Amino acid sequence: MDLAVTPAPLIAFDKVSKFYGRGEATIRALDQIDLAISAGEFVSIMGPSGSGKSTAMNIIGGLDIPSSGEFLFQGVPTSDFSREQRTLLRRHMLGFVFQGFNLLARTSAVENVELPLVYRGMAHKERRERATAALAQVGLAGREGHTTQELSGGQQQRVAIARAIVTDPAVLLADEPTGNLDTKTSTEIMELITRLNRDNGITVIMVTHEEDIAAYGSRLLRFTDGHLVSDEPNLERASHAAGSR
């Protein structure tokens, strides 16, 4: 009899809770969350302010730890990880894209993209080649020497995405990636992120307040008051994709 082994989810929450404060002042940012995300998924996360969605993202990103329960990455429990181990997880497995770009001012695009490779101790020639290739992948070939002040908002976000993918991460964590962009530029950025998910196989987990941006994901999670209240295939994606063709 063929007993196939089902691979562990890339990311899993096992009754994860996160509390802040004590006694009557305790805030339950997350309350007994069970969640599994497989490699290659594009998951959108929505919810009002204070719903727990950002706390969940911070735990996935190794920026916070649960008060109880277990966060597993590739089937490995992380509750006993040291600060250094969480840093290594972020450095080698995760890429981050933020609403505010978080680029170094008066620094060239290629130098911004190189930063994660500097932290890895990679030699200058190799990291320059990889950063240049990452910029080309996001449509910024020829702009390597431009500083952030010389780039539009959409181009700055492309630099931030190039910086996030230059390490070949397993997961791209995007926190309101279009929050500072106009509609046209937002569409361009989301099409880029969708292509990275589809063609490169990068797992994308994205927090957004905007329904039309969430529609790019293949799965939609909704948080309310620290609870995961909905976890469903994103039916809007099919119609969204059809309308964009």
Side-chain angles (χ1 to χ4, degrees):
M1 184 170 61
D2 183 15
L3 296 177
V5 177
T6 302
L10 179 63
I11 289 165
F13 280 15
D14 182 9
K15 293 182 170 48
V16 165
S17 295
K18 183 65 182 182
F19 305 146
Y20 297 100
R22 295 182 178 180
E24 294 183 0
T26 298
I27 297 173
R28 293 175 175 264
L30 293 175
D31 195 357
Q32 297 281 304
I33 301 297
D34 289 319
L35 172 64
I37 297 173
S38 299
E41 286 197 88
F42 186 155
V43 178
S44 299
I45 301 178
M46 299 194 73
S49 297
S51 64
K53 62 185 186 299
S54 294
T55 301
M57 180 75 93
N58 287 340
I59 290 174
I60 294 170
L63 302 171
D64 207 345
I65 58 176
S67 302
S68 64
E70 187 65 79
F71 164 52
L72 301 96
F73 191 91
Q74 293 183 327
V76 178
T78 64
S79 57
D80 293 330
F81 275 19
S82 64
R83 180 176 296 180
E84 180 180 2
Q85 286 174 309
R86 289 197 299 274
T87 298
L88 290 173
L89 174 65
R90 291 193 298 272
R91 188 174 296 171
H92 291 277
M93 302 301 294
L94 308 175
F96 296 85
V97 178
F98 302 98
Q99 177 177 343
F101 315 144
N102 290 6
L103 300 175
L104 297 178
R106 298 183 297 278
T107 302
S108 69
V110 72
E111 289 170 328
N112 268 285
V113 176
E114 284 180 335
L115 273 178
L117 304 179
V118 172
Y119 297 141
R120 284 191 178 187
M122 186 176 290
H124 179 270
K125 183 176 184 295
E126 183 179 359
R127 70 174 186 255
R128 182 55 55 96
E129 289 174 351
R130 289 185 61 167
T132 300
L135 284 167
Q137 192 172 357
V138 301
L140 289 180
R143 299 294 184 106
E144 297 87 355
H146 287 62
T147 65
T148 53
Q149 292 98 325
E150 297 171 320
L151 299 173
S152 67
Q155 289 170 333
Q156 289 183 52
Q157 191 62 296
R158 287 176 182 267
V159 173
I161 293 170
R163 181 184 58 193
I165 66 172
V166 74
T167 58
D168 294 324
V171 182
L172 180 66
L173 299 173
D175 190 359
E176 300 284 0
T178 62
N180 287 339
L181 305 176
D182 60 41
T183 301
K184 178 177 181 295
T185 306
S186 294
T187 298
E188 293 172 354
I189 292 300
M190 290 311 306
E191 288 175 349
L192 170 58
I193 291 175
T194 300
R195 188 168 69 248
L196 290 170
N197 168 251
R198 181 187 64 234
D199 298 344
N200 294 37
I202 297 175
T203 303
V204 177
I205 304 174
M206 177 181 67
V207 166
T208 181
H209 281 97
E210 303 172 75
E211 295 282 352
D212 59 331
I213 298 301
Y216 283 89
S218 57
R219 181 176 165 197
L220 178 58
L221 311 183
R222 293 186 186 272
F223 282 79
T224 300
D225 295 333
H227 296 277
L228 179 58
V229 297
S230 175
D231 179 357
E232 299 176 347
N234 193 354
L235 300 179
E236 289 295 320
R237 187 178 195 182
S239 59
H240 189 288
S244 65
R245 285 197 296 265

